[in-house]
Amino acid sequence: MKRIVDLIAEELEPAFAARGYDPGYVRVTLSNRPDLCEYQCNGAMAAARAYRKKPIEIAGEVVEEAKDSPLFSRIEAVMPGFINVSLNPEFLARYLQEMAAEEKLGLKEAEKKETIIVDYGGANVAKPLHVGHLRSAVIGESIKRIGRYMGHHVIGDVHLGDWGLQMGLIIEELRDRQPDLPYFDESYEGEYPAEAPFTISQLEEIYPAASAKAKTDEAFRERAHQATLRLQNGYAPFRAIWKHIMAVSLQDLKRNYANLNVSFDLWKGESDADPYIPGLIQRLVDQGLAYESEGALVVDIAKEGDAKEYPPCIVRKSDGAALYATSDLATIVEREQDFHPDRYIYVVDKRQELHFIQVFRVAKKSGIVAEETPMIFLGFGTMNGKDGGPFKTRDGGVMRLEHLIRDINEAVYEKIREKQKVPEEEMEQTARIIGLAALKYGDLSNQATKDYVFDVDRFISFEGNTGPHIQYMIVRIKSILEKYRDLRGGEETAPIRPAATGTEKKLQLSLCRFGEVVETAFYETAPHRICQYMAEVSDAFNDFYQENKILAEEDEGRQAALISLITLTRRVLDTCMDLLGMESPEHM
Ligand code: ARG
């Protein structure tokens, strides 16, 4: 469906043309003075300069032309030259009715369907997921969902850190603990066991122990480093251990992501890019882009007009080892080969910005990625504790994601137990659904690049700008709909009616913007737009609900029309929730 702003523009363009003004000046926006009008057009201001007239004169002429349009209940020219309009309730009701008839609620899908890689999650294998990984997972998941809803072919890739020093550390720690394992017997020629020599809880203990040991024990650190190199060079026994680590750790990771309602199409990692590294290096050398500098191989990325000085991108260290940038570039080579994406979106901590500037520039300079392909780095800020510093456990350690979720769910559980609105058998599931929305909305409602304060008490509140508040509004609608069914039997339907009250109109005006908001959220890579919108719709619904009687309405036709309106409200809110990777419970 066409967006309301475009329909208004199409109505004003002929009015401009009729008075001899270029219709190209017409630009319609939501009013920034909702007390005065609903939409506004500032075209007369821009045209005034070109035609050397007073803006108010042009605005007046346009209004004169358009005043009988069936789209507007009011159109007026106001000083210094704004054209203010309010929508005709008949027109608005018809628009919403059409929206309700469409599966995607009137959203205009992208004309060009793109293949998009969203690189998010980024967990490091064998290290516990911590809150730093939370943001990437939560934001990336919503971007993937929004892109899909727009009709794009979106591929979510978790891009695991599965190839680094942590592997060497675990291997050498394992050698110290269980030297008799066949992996450490150089003369062993049999098959390696299918079963891993450790469980997930042992693995979770092995890595931190090894990491701590490496800090004080230099020989151990060197052994781990060598083991990592041997693993990367394909040494069979270490590959076998690595496979065990991967299998045990992945199972755990998948469970954790599933708890967050986050899922990936590709479970690839840095290790998958490894085979592409030699070809990549060769290419960069052949193109004359990579050159030796102090034994390392580097590519210059500075451009004229850069505000900052960007250091060259190192693609090979002097000892021959690949680096983080090498691995990301090789991954891009692989992605180009497999998918030839039209757009890349990376959802990673903003402290990695320089790394991605380097990687993107090398990818473009070398032609691995076409110049016009957008490569978007969505760098997110830090999740802080109430004290302003990075979020920690009570005793100052790094908070594990699992524990964070458990704490939130427990707090929500307490709350719904006190309120006594949720049937006993639904309590646990409901606490999980609410807890997840509290967590995700708390994160997503902030512009991603900003740091934010993690405040459980605020996030789980049923009031204010929170996920649970929006769920609460949805639950209220569900309950009205249920009571209506009991009251009237079957599913009597009536078209949405022209708004009769101010709050009804306000609700309708917010609903009609759904498609526009989703589009903006996608093109700006900004899920917080959807949060803002959900809050606006819920508030509008709440005001409407306070002012209009729905279940007590005696006129059945009028009642059915109101039911249609709140049914659409519910669909809009539920769809937004889904785009952000949340759900709403049945009771709360
Ligand atoms: N594993 C990395 C980390 O924890 C994040 C990976 C981000 N994605 C990427 N393509 N580099 O810091």
Side-chain angles (χ1 to χ4, degrees), residues 287-513:
Q287 289 178 318
L289 292 176
Y291 64 91
E292 293 240 1
S293 166
E294 294 166 39
L297 202 58
V298 306
V299 178
D300 285 331
I301 55 137
K303 278 189 197 167
E304 221 169 293
D306 279 348
K308 270 191 256 172
E309 205 175 305
Y310 291 123
C313 177
I314 307 175
V315 291
R316 195 176 63 204
K317 283 202 288 194
S318 49
D319 66 359
L323 295 100
Y324 191 35
T326 328
S327 152
D328 262 318
L329 281 163
T331 303
I332 294 173
V333 172
E334 183 185 12
R335 287 172 178 168
E336 283 293 322
Q337 171 205 288
D338 292 352
F339 307 108
H340 191 53
D342 300 294
R343 185 187 293 257
Y344 288 84
I345 302 174
Y346 290 79
V347 186
V348 186
D349 191 312
K350 71 177 172 197
R351 285 169 291 193
Q352 294 191 24
E353 184 174 16
L354 175 61
H355 164 77
F356 282 98
I357 291 177
Q358 292 179 316
V359 167
F360 294 172
R361 287 196 178 182
V362 175
K364 297 243 162 140
K365 208 173 172 181
S366 59
I368 294 170
V369 175
E371 193 53 50
E372 65 276 11
T373 304
M375 298 190 91
I376 297 163
F377 172 65
L378 181 57
F380 52 80
T382 310
M383 179 173 134
N384 287 324
K386 274 195 198 169
D387 60 358
F391 192 83
K392 293 268 163 62
T393 56
R394 235 169 275 148
D395 50 16
V398 174
M399 177 69 113
R400 291 180 54 166
L401 189 52
E402 255 180 298
H403 297 163
L404 181 83
I405 295 176
R406 184 197 56 202
D407 291 354
I408 291 181
N409 290 355
E410 277 171 9
V412 173
Y413 191 92
E414 262 323 292
K415 194 175 186 114
I416 56 180
R417 203 173 52 85
E418 275 166 28
K419 287 197 188 281
Q420 300 188 336
K421 290 276 172 48
V422 182
E424 188 66 38
E425 67 279 8
E426 282 177 24
M427 292 262 283
E428 244 176 72
Q429 170 74 351
T430 302
R432 265 204 299 275
I433 293 175
I434 299 176
L436 193 58
L439 184 80
K440 287 192 169 187
Y441 192 93
D443 188 308
L444 292 169
S445 54
N446 306 284
Q447 203 179 327
T449 48
K450 297 217 171 105
D451 297 348
Y452 74 98
V453 173
F454 188 87
D455 181 346
V456 185
D457 298 330
R458 187 170 82 73
F459 289 180
I460 67 170
S461 169
F462 288 9
E463 273 130 55
N465 187 19
T466 69
H469 174 67
I470 289 161
Q471 290 178 316
Y472 194 65
M473 291 299 139
I474 298 176
V475 167
R476 176 168 284 168
I477 300 177
K478 285 182 186 174
S479 124
I480 300 172
L481 294 176
E482 213 169 285
K483 290 197 183 113
Y484 175 72
R485 269 193 298 273
D486 293 346
L487 194 70
R488 301 273 181 226
E491 311 259 322
E492 184 62 43
T493 55
I496 289 168
R497 68 172 191 183
T501 61
T503 52
E504 189 174 354
K505 180 115 190 242
K506 223 175 118 206
L507 176 59
Q508 293 193 358
L509 282 168
S510 62
L511 292 175
C512 79
R513 292 178 41 240

